[in-house]
Amino acid sequence: MLPGPFLLENTVFDVIRYAVAADSIIEAGRFLYQRGWSPATSSNYSERIDDQHIAITVSGRHKGQLSAGDIMVVDLDGGAVQSNSRSSAETRLHTVLYQLFPEVGAVLHTHSVKATVLSRLIAPGHSLELEGYELQKAFAGVETHESVLTVPVFANTQDIDALAEETKSWFREHPGQPGYLIRGHGLYTWGKTMEDCLRHVEAFEFLFDCELETMRVRP
Amino acid sequence: MLPGPFLLENTVFDVIRYAVAADSIIEAGRFLYQRGWSPATSSNYSERIDDQHIAITVSGRHKGQLSAGDIMVVDLDGGAVQSNSRSSAETRLHTVLYQLFPEVGAVLHTHSVKATVLSRLIAPGHSLELEGYELQKAFAGVETHESVLTVPVFANTQDIDALAEETKSWFREHPGQPGYLIRGHGLYTWGKTMEDCLRHVEAFEFLFDCELETMRVRP
Amino acid sequence: MLPGPFLLENTVFDVIRYAVAADSIIEAGRFLYQRGWSPATSSNYSERIDDQHIAITVSGRHKGQLSAGDIMVVDLDGGAVQSNSRSSAETRLHTVLYQLFPEVGAVLHTHSVKATVLSRLIAPGHSLELEGYELQKAFAGVETHESVLTVPVFANTQDIDALAEETKSWFREHPGQPGYLIRGHGLYTWGKTMEDCLRHVEAFEFLFDCELETMRVRP
Amino acid sequence: MLPGPFLLENTVFDVIRYAVAADSIIEAGRFLYQRGWSPATSSNYSERIDDQHIAITVSGRHKGQLSAGDIMVVDLDGGAVQSNSRSSAETRLHTVLYQLFPEVGAVLHTHSVKATVLSRLIAPGHSLELEGYELQKAFAGVETHESVLTVPVFANTQDIDALAEETKSWFREHPGQPGYLIRGHGLYTWGKTMEDCLRHVEAFEFLFDCELETMRVRP
């Protein structure tokens, strides 16, 4: 008896689910680029295909002009599956989130001016604390503005494996927080669906803008 | 003789008027979302159908992508009519305005960065006073920039009934003022028609931007 | 022999030239509104038809949605010609410029946040002086950034006839300057053609933005 | 034997390559104008045709509305080839870059508010130094945010030949730097392809915005 089918069940992904995830990533890219949150080929996006595979952007592509050839598949260790393309250098920052949170269906990493500047203005070792904004309710599970949203700010590094471990440790301890910043670099956020995840990006960008606007008036 | 028709006259709304109001709300949502004034499923909008009914957005929908299924009917106490959907949590903030001002045909609640930040910068117990702007003439009934526009800022709360009463009391005393802010939350404004109401949103956003820009330069 | 034709030559305008001017105004409105420089039915625009007539926006229309019914004709005293519509309350601010400068073919009045805020920040009795910007060369006749552009700031008033006289006197003395501000109100600028005039609006808005941005950093 | 063909090989450009370059410049203009980086007929763009010729914008055209008639050919000394049009007054600032860097395929000069203001805020004799931004990796050859990007700021002048020599000297000494500012004027940047060059503009604008935003909060 051949082991093949059994093997396939564990290692092969559903092609249709890949295609649907790729479409969703392409559309997200158009939106995020148009908003100015993914300039100059920065940023990377992913969506879960199944418990072993995610669709993710190929490294270095123009995020407002993604097309079929720009979305590949990796396993949860970040290894390319059925592809010779190279996924984003930050692939491991995505996969640790999918490993840690089985309910997460999409992860978006963006590079806005506001996120970049705010992350540099926060003193090392401090988090961004957001409080008293009605829009905090845009995050899944938040029911009132009378709550505190904590956004950790990690130091930037080109050692992605180390940063991946750092984020994994932090969010294992704080599973209720919906995103983080990397200093001088950008935002990571996630959600059950791409729709939820995009709503989280919008809410974070809104709140970053509010914080900076307030700092401008009251430096 | 059957009481039915009489009863209907009092409790049933004109379906065509509902459909027209829904269309108008959908179009307003596209505009307001595109401007960045209703991000991340925030905001809610309504339009009067008759003296007993209003069309209003269903809770939690993406305001730039509203479609037929996202607009429901409530009576002036905020109760759902011919629908199992749940209207915005802030429905009562709309209905008190329709009760108070029989000439009001539309109410818009938006969540811009400027309104949010400005409302947090104004000290508790103070109103925003706008004076000397030609654009004040965009508000119905204002004929000169040499007038003072008073925008009260209410504390934010998740107790909508209490806030509804508070706004009702304030505007019963100040029927000539065209809108209010909720701290860290957003703007409410209204008008005889949706067109008037949209003009009021635009004028308020313009004036909020002017005030913040001035505060940036002269903190 | 009938005096008719002679009379017509002096008082009747060419309908085709009116239609072309109206089209040009409608298109300018779409551009200026989309940029945020004519919000909430503010602003008014005109284009010369001949030495006795100009096409001008009807009072109170949405400048991003102008259509055939929104552009009327006035003579150089501001009187409506062949129309029962009411032209902009500020019609006389347009006509004095056409009277003063026979080569002027278009006048645009806009209401941007930058123009409004900047005009309020400049002390009464002072002008805005622009110097050292390469973009000053966008104004007709300016050949170097080593020139000074003087933008007078007039006090706002609802007495348009008085303001019209004031602007007429100032520009008779300073025919080389391409525009002015009204405090808390907006910008007036003009050009030989609508294309020139739109370039002047863009250049002014760019320079106002630069000035405010500089003031933000160095208050 | 006729010398003609030999002569042609050295002085005549490939018409198809001109047409392709012109298309690419037209498309770049639409993008750059729409972003607000080339207002009021400012800016000029070029793309290399071969080692002796470049396609470049005709002087004074609206950069968001470029069409076939707005792109001409010059040789590497800036002389018009097969055309009676006048190329941008700053043509020599383009040609020195093509002479200096044989691998450069496109040069873009833009006039944004951010570049203009920032260039005026930097003290004469100083450069803008960018450090610690992940987006620095958008520039060809930059592998880490832990590098320093030096953007020289040249004094503005109407003597383009003198400025051309000045930039040539500086970049001969600093071939790894991707762009420069002219005070109160704008940005010059280049790349192997138009796509690279546009990515550089986006990255510079992002970084200028970050720097100004930081200065606003910490003047």
Side-chain angles (χ1 to χ4, degrees):
Chain A
M1 188 180 152
L2 289 171
F6 177 76
L7 189 70
L8 280 171
E9 271 173 31
N10 285 282
T11 64
V12 169
F13 58 87
D14 182 315
V15 170
I16 297 276
R17 294 185 69 167
Y18 156 71
V20 170
D23 254 15
S24 157
I25 288 170
I26 288 166
E27 199 180 336
R30 279 197 205 110
F31 171 76
L32 297 167
Y33 177 80
Q34 182 270 330
R35 285 299 192 90
W37 299 338
S38 292
T41 74
S42 71
S43 306
N44 37 74
Y45 319 134
S46 66
E47 187 164 323
R48 191 190 285 274
I49 297 174
D50 58 38
D51 59 4
Q52 297 296 324
H53 302 91
I54 63 167
I56 190 164
T57 42
V58 173
S59 180
R61 301 300 162 89
H62 188 303
K63 297 308 179 296
Q65 299 173 0
L66 292 174
S67 65
D70 300 325
I71 318 293
M72 61 185 292
V73 179
V74 295
D75 59 33
L76 286 206
D77 294 321
V81 177
Q82 291 180 235
S83 174
N84 292 317
S85 294
R86 189 163 61 88
S87 68
S88 164
E90 296 176 29
T91 296
R92 287 270 295 144
L93 298 179
H94 290 249
T95 56
V96 293
L97 292 163
Y98 290 104
Q99 287 174 328
L100 201 57
F101 301 125
E103 74 278 14
V104 163
V107 176
L108 293 170
H109 168 47
T110 50
H111 277 234
S112 73
V113 166
K114 311 291 185 201
T116 300
V117 171
L118 198 55
S119 67
R120 286 164 64 105
L121 289 170
I122 292 166
H126 287 72
S127 294
L128 173 65
E129 310 253 305
L130 300 163
E131 189 172 3
Y133 290 105
E134 181 72 9
L135 213 81
Q136 293 170 226
K137 291 165 65 182
F139 294 103
V142 178
E143 300 291 338
T144 171
H145 65 287
E146 292 171 325
S147 56
V148 179
L149 195 67
T150 301
V151 188
V153 184
F154 298 102
N156 197 17
T157 175
Q158 300 303 318
D159 182 347
I160 294 301
D161 285 346
L163 183 54
E165 285 309 307
E166 205 181 343
T167 60
K168 194 175 176 177
S169 298
W170 200 91
F171 283 96
R172 186 182 285 129
E173 299 301 311
H174 307 82
Q177 299 301 329
Y180 64 87
L181 289 166
I182 308 174
R183 181 163 293 111
H185 182 149
L187 168 73
Y188 269 85
T189 188
W190 45 90
K192 288 189 183 176
T193 62
M194 183 59 87
E195 187 185 353
D196 285 340
C197 195
L198 285 164
R199 191 181 69 244
H200 289 180
V201 174
E202 268 197 284
F204 270 125
E205 286 297 332
F206 179 94
L207 295 168
F208 296 160
D209 201 355
C210 286
E211 288 289 300
L212 273 174
E213 185 77 35
T214 304
M215 291 165 89
R216 275 181 217 142
V217 174
R218 294 186 171 166
Chain B
M1 188 182 154
L2 290 169
F6 177 77
L7 187 71
L8 280 172
E9 271 172 33
N10 285 282
T11 65
V12 169
F13 58 88
D14 182 316
V15 170
I16 298 275
R17 292 185 70 168
Y18 155 71
V20 169
D23 255 14
S24 157
I25 288 170
I26 288 167
E27 198 179 337
R30 280 197 205 111
F31 172 76
L32 296 168
Y33 177 79
Q34 182 269 331
R35 286 297 192 92
W37 298 338
S38 292
T41 74
S42 71
S43 304
N44 37 74
Y45 318 134
S46 66
E47 187 165 324
R48 190 190 286 275
I49 297 174
D50 58 37
D51 59 3
Q52 298 295 323
H53 301 92
I54 65 167
I56 191 164
T57 42
V58 172
S59 180
R61 301 300 161 90
H62 188 304
K63 296 308 179 297
Q65 299 172 0
L66 292 174
S67 63
D70 301 324
I71 318 293
M72 61 185 292
V73 179
V74 296
D75 59 32
L76 286 206
D77 295 321
V81 177
Q82 290 181 236
S83 175
N84 292 318
S85 293
R86 190 162 61 89
S87 68
S88 164
E90 296 176 29
T91 296
R92 286 271 295 146
L93 298 180
H94 290 249
T95 56
V96 291
L97 292 164
Y98 289 104
Q99 287 174 327
L100 201 57
F101 301 126
E103 74 279 15
V104 163
V107 176
L108 293 170
H109 168 48
T110 50
H111 277 235
S112 73
V113 166
K114 311 290 184 201
T116 300
V117 171
L118 198 55
S119 68
R120 286 166 64 106
L121 289 169
I122 292 166
H126 287 73
S127 294
L128 173 65
E129 310 254 304
L130 300 163
E131 189 172 3
Y133 290 104
E134 182 72 10
L135 213 82
Q136 293 171 226
K137 291 166 64 182
F139 294 103
V142 178
E143 300 292 337
T144 171
H145 65 287
E146 291 172 326
S147 57
V148 180
L149 195 67
T150 300
V151 188
V153 184
F154 298 102
N156 197 16
T157 175
Q158 301 302 320
D159 181 348
I160 295 300
D161 284 348
L163 183 54
E165 286 308 308
E166 204 181 344
T167 60
K168 193 175 177 178
S169 298
W170 199 92
F171 283 96
R172 187 182 284 129
E173 299 301 312
H174 307 83
Q177 299 301 328
Y180 64 87
L181 289 166
I182 309 174
R183 181 163 293 110
H185 182 151
L187 168 73
Y188 269 84
T189 188
W190 46 89
K192 289 189 182 175
T193 62
M194 182 60 86
E195 187 186 352
D196 285 341
C197 195
L198 284 165
R199 192 181 68 244
H200 289 181
V201 174
E202 268 198 283
F204 269 126
E205 286 297 332
F206 179 95
L207 295 168
F208 296 160
D209 200 356
C210 286
E211 289 288 300
L212 273 175
E213 184 78 36
T214 304
M215 290 166 89
R216 276 181 217 144
V217 174
R218 294 185 171 167
Chain C
M1 188 181 155
L2 291 168
F6 177 76
L7 189 69
L8 280 171
E9 272 172 30
N10 285 280
T11 65
V12 171
F13 58 88
D14 182 316
V15 170
I16 298 276
R17 294 186 68 167
Y18 155 70
V20 169
D23 254 14
S24 157
I25 288 170
I26 288 167
E27 199 180 336
R30 280 197 204 111
F31 172 76
L32 296 167
Y33 178 79
Q34 181 271 329
R35 286 297 192 91
W37 298 339
S38 292
T41 75
S42 71
S43 305
N44 37 74
Y45 320 134
S46 66
E47 187 165 323
R48 190 191 285 275
I49 297 173
D50 58 38
D51 59 3
Q52 298 296 323
H53 301 90
I54 64 168
I56 191 164
T57 42
V58 172
S59 181
R61 301 299 162 91
H62 188 304
K63 296 309 180 294
Q65 299 172 0
L66 292 174
S67 64
D70 300 325
I71 318 293
M72 62 185 291
V73 179
V74 296
D75 59 32
L76 287 206
D77 295 321
V81 178
Q82 291 181 233
S83 174
N84 292 318
S85 294
R86 189 164 61 88
S87 68
S88 163
E90 297 175 27
T91 296
R92 284 272 294 146
L93 297 180
H94 291 248
T95 57
V96 291
L97 291 163
Y98 290 103
Q99 286 174 327
L100 201 57
F101 302 125
E103 74 279 15
V104 163
V107 176
L108 293 170
H109 168 48
T110 50
H111 277 234
S112 73
V113 166
K114 312 291 184 199
T116 300
V117 171
L118 198 54
S119 68
R120 286 165 64 107
L121 289 170
I122 292 165
H126 286 73
S127 294
L128 172 66
E129 309 255 304
L130 300 163
E131 189 172 3
Y133 291 104
E134 183 72 10
L135 212 81
Q136 293 171 227
K137 291 164 65 182
F139 293 102
V142 178
E143 300 292 337
T144 172
H145 65 287
E146 292 172 325
S147 57
V148 179
L149 195 68
T150 300
V151 188
V153 184
F154 298 101
N156 197 17
T157 174
Q158 301 302 320
D159 182 347
I160 294 300
D161 284 347
L163 182 54
E165 285 309 307
E166 203 180 344
T167 60
K168 193 175 178 179
S169 298
W170 200 91
F171 283 96
R172 187 182 285 128
E173 299 301 311
H174 306 82
Q177 300 301 327
Y180 65 87
L181 289 165
I182 309 173
R183 181 163 294 111
H185 182 151
L187 168 73
Y188 269 85
T189 188
W190 45 89
K192 288 189 183 177
T193 63
M194 183 59 86
E195 187 186 351
D196 285 340
C197 195
L198 284 164
R199 192 180 69 244
H200 289 180
V201 174
E202 268 198 283
F204 270 126
E205 286 296 332
F206 178 96
L207 295 167
F208 296 161
D209 200 355
C210 286
E211 289 288 301
L212 273 175
E213 184 77 36
T214 304
M215 290 165 89
R216 276 181 215 142
V217 174
R218 294 186 171 165
Chain D
M1 189 180 154
L2 289 170
F6 177 78
L7 189 70
L8 280 172
E9 273 173 30
N10 285 281
T11 63
V12 169
F13 58 87
D14 182 316
V15 171
I16 298 274
R17 294 185 68 167
Y18 156 70
V20 170
D23 255 14
S24 156
I25 288 169
I26 288 166
E27 199 180 336
R30 279 197 205 110
F31 171 76
L32 296 167
Y33 178 79
Q34 181 270 331
R35 285 298 192 91
W37 298 338
S38 292
T41 75
S42 71
S43 305
N44 36 74
Y45 319 135
S46 65
E47 187 164 323
R48 191 190 284 275
I49 297 174
D50 58 38
D51 59 3
Q52 298 295 323
H53 301 91
I54 63 168
I56 191 164
T57 42
V58 172
S59 181
R61 301 300 161 90
H62 188 303
K63 297 307 179 297
Q65 299 173 0
L66 292 174
S67 64
D70 300 325
I71 319 292
M72 61 185 293
V73 179
V74 296
D75 58 32
L76 287 206
D77 295 321
V81 177
Q82 290 181 234
S83 174
N84 292 318
S85 294
R86 190 163 60 88
S87 68
S88 164
E90 297 176 28
T91 296
R92 286 271 294 146
L93 298 180
H94 291 248
T95 56
V96 292
L97 292 163
Y98 290 104
Q99 286 174 328
L100 200 57
F101 303 125
E103 74 278 14
V104 163
V107 176
L108 294 170
H109 168 47
T110 50
H111 277 234
S112 73
V113 167
K114 311 291 185 201
T116 300
V117 171
L118 196 55
S119 68
R120 285 165 64 106
L121 289 170
I122 292 166
H126 287 72
S127 294
L128 173 65
E129 310 254 304
L130 300 163
E131 190 173 3
Y133 290 105
E134 182 71 10
L135 213 81
Q136 292 171 227
K137 290 165 65 182
F139 294 103
V142 178
E143 300 293 337
T144 171
H145 65 287
E146 292 172 325
S147 57
V148 180
L149 195 67
T150 300
V151 188
V153 184
F154 298 102
N156 197 17
T157 175
Q158 301 302 319
D159 182 347
I160 294 301
D161 285 347
L163 182 54
E165 286 308 307
E166 204 181 344
T167 60
K168 194 175 177 177
S169 299
W170 199 92
F171 284 96
R172 187 182 286 130
E173 299 301 311
H174 307 81
Q177 299 301 327
Y180 65 87
L181 289 166
I182 309 173
R183 181 163 293 111
H185 183 150
L187 167 73
Y188 269 85
T189 188
W190 45 90
K192 288 190 182 175
T193 62
M194 182 59 87
E195 187 186 352
D196 285 340
C197 195
L198 284 165
R199 191 181 69 245
H200 289 181
V201 174
E202 267 197 285
F204 270 126
E205 286 297 332
F206 179 95
L207 295 168
F208 296 160
D209 201 355
C210 286
E211 289 288 301
L212 273 175
E213 185 77 35
T214 304
M215 291 165 88
R216 275 181 216 142
V217 173
R218 293 187 171 165

